[in-house]
Amino acid sequence: MRNTFGYIYRLTTFGESHGDAVGGVIDGMPAGISVDPSFIQHELDRRRPGQSALTTSRSEADQVQLLSGIFEGKTTGAPIGFVVRNSNQRSSDYEGLRNLFRPSHADFTYHQKYGIRDHRGGGRTSARTTISRCVGGAFAKLALQQAGIRVQAYTSQVGDIALDPDYRRYNLDDAEQNAVRCPDAAIAEKMAQRILAVKAEGDTIGGVITCVVRGCPAGLGEPEFGKLHAALGGAMLSINAVKGYEYGEGFASASRRGSELNDPFVIDHGTVGTTTNHSGGIQGGVSNGQDIYFRVAFKPVATILREQQTIDTEGQPTTFTAQGRHDPCVLPRAVPIVESMAAMVILDFLLMNKTVKM
């Protein structure tokens, strides 16, 4: 299994949903970065379960313990080890799934690949492993702050309830003022009601998260096979339940003309800029200094509280009804995960770019 992400800024993760703990090791973190433990914990609190009626009721404090790489409040350049203990597992909820392949889960594929799987909450395939990503992303955000770069994501669509695609119409800070993490309070309420209605039916619903990176300098990205947008796409598609990624105008570009989508260059206060940003801040795989923005599509959670048909490990048809505590919609808790993966990619490419100093 490949459990390490990144080139220079690297995160190696470990742990399972119902094991003793999840955690990781961060390598390549620049030295001398001030570390605020409360900020790291806050990022985990944004992801943790049980934070509202819209999420799973599993109750976990998700308290992170930093083990190394920090001295007198600053990073030393040494590897940063961390661990988060699991404390509220209910493994018995999954005992009936020991010999079943749940529809649209990784049960069958992992069984085929490894010949063994942890059926308790999905084991290594559980979204609980994204805790490690949020810690890695939190440290990356601290480093990016030194470079004047900010990463913000928000829920832009739940089912067919969607915001205007132009992120500039909203104050993205407002996204943290409601449980859905949507910057429009009225639309957020509609989204919340839709999630609760779907939950009451024992079903789940998907949606879209939009992410914006501001302050990214021009010149980040590697030609041909190390393009910045490709790295961001790979990072997003590695997140549980993600089914699609687009940056800039994305798929809408297919129905437009070049005369509509080209971004003319201008000099703005002595700096090269563009009058529009249909490219999403990336051209030729390299950042151009404009805002980077992209959208990530999440499918509905595969675990639904309804009877379903499947087969067992012997290939025999059977039915089952899932038990346990599950998210009816991953969007609210996935927002910090999207930010974390984006922050790690941007920091990694910033460190690879010899023309930019931290």
Side-chain angles (χ1 to χ4, degrees):
M1 295 178 68
R2 181 177 176 183
N3 299 296
T4 299
F5 176 80
Y7 296 94
I8 296 177
Y9 184 81
R10 295 166 63 87
L11 171 69
T12 300
T13 72
F14 67 84
E16 297 84 30
S17 176
H18 285 233
D20 290 335
V22 294
V25 176
I26 299 167
D27 204 1
M29 179 71 179
I33 302 295
S34 296
V35 176
D36 179 0
S38 65
F39 174 78
I40 308 296
Q41 187 59 53
H42 173 70
E43 292 297 284
L44 281 184
D45 291 344
R46 296 173 67 213
R47 192 225 69 96
R48 72 175 180 83
Q51 58 185 275
S52 78
L54 305 180
T55 67
T56 172
S57 60
R58 178 171 175 170
S59 179
E60 294 276 5
D62 286 354
Q63 289 290 323
V64 63
Q65 181 182 2
L66 303 177
L67 305 175
S68 62
I70 300 168
F71 179 68
E72 295 183 342
K74 293 184 181 295
T75 57
T76 64
I80 299 171
F82 62 89
V83 66
V84 175
R85 301 288 177 184
N86 295 328
S87 62
N88 191 230
Q89 311 98 312
R90 287 201 328 217
S91 299
S92 60
D93 287 341
Y94 297 90
E95 192 56 35
L97 305 179
R98 178 184 290 272
N99 298 312
L100 297 180
F101 295 137
R102 294 170 297 169
S104 293
H105 284 77
D107 297 349
F108 171 72
T109 53
Y110 262 55
H111 184 79
Q112 287 295 106
K113 183 173 180 64
Y114 299 106
I116 186 173
R117 66 182 175 90
D118 183 349
H119 65 281
R120 304 166 304 165
R124 183 67 173 156
T125 69
S126 169
R128 184 150 181 81
T129 61
T130 58
I131 284 174
S132 301
R133 300 175 184 226
C134 285
V135 177
F139 275 97
K141 284 182 178 182
L142 290 175
L144 292 178
Q145 287 175 9
Q146 304 293 311
I149 300 172
R150 188 177 187 190
V151 180
Q152 285 184 287
Y154 61 95
T155 298
S156 55
Q157 182 174 338
V158 171
D160 60 358
I161 303 172
L163 294 179
D164 187 293
D166 186 354
Y167 67 90
R168 296 170 299 179
R169 294 173 60 92
Y170 306 99
N171 179 356
L172 303 192
D173 291 334
D174 291 342
E176 292 299 312
Q177 302 305 309
N178 57 74
V180 186
R181 294 200 163 89
C182 169
D184 184 304
I187 299 297
E189 180 59 27
K190 293 180 181 179
M191 290 176 172
Q193 292 306 313
R194 178 66 58 83
I195 294 171
L196 291 174
V198 167
K199 179 181 180 181
E201 297 171 1
D203 213 339
T204 59
I205 193 167
V208 175
I209 289 175
T210 298
C211 186
V212 181
V213 182
R214 290 188 170 101
C216 186
L220 300 191
E222 300 297 319
E224 201 62 20
F225 299 116
K227 294 178 178 179
L228 182 58
H229 62 265
L232 286 167
M236 297 307 129
L237 290 166
S238 75
I239 301 172
N240 309 53
V242 169
K243 286 295 184 179
Y245 159 84
E246 61 177 4
Y247 75 101
E249 293 292 327
F251 281 93
S253 302
S255 61
R256 306 284 294 278
R257 297 187 179 190
S259 57
E260 299 175 287
L261 288 182
N262 283 351
D263 297 316
F265 288 103
V266 294
I267 298 297
D268 183 15
H269 296 90
T271 303
V272 175
T274 58
T275 58
T276 57
N277 189 20
H278 301 296
S279 301
I282 302 172
Q283 294 169 326
V286 179
S287 62
N288 66 2
Q290 304 303 300
D291 290 350
I292 295 171
Y293 63 94
F294 57 86
R295 290 160 44 91
V296 186
F298 285 78
K299 71 171 185 174
V301 176
T303 299
I304 59 176
L305 303 182
R306 297 181 175 185
E307 185 175 85
Q308 298 181 78
Q309 294 183 333
T310 189
I311 62 171
D312 62 24
T313 53
E314 300 300 320
Q316 298 300 310
T318 186
T319 61
F320 81 103
T321 301
Q323 305 295 320
R325 303 158 295 178
H326 307 281
D327 288 285
C329 178
V330 300
L331 279 275
R333 297 176 59 209
V335 166
I337 302 169
V338 168
E339 289 180 357
S340 292
M341 296 306 295
M344 287 192 287
V345 169
I346 297 299
L347 177 58
D348 201 20
F349 275 72
L350 193 65
L351 293 172
M352 283 191 280
N353 195 326
K354 297 179 180 179
T355 65
V356 178
K357 289 187 176 182
M358 290 298 299

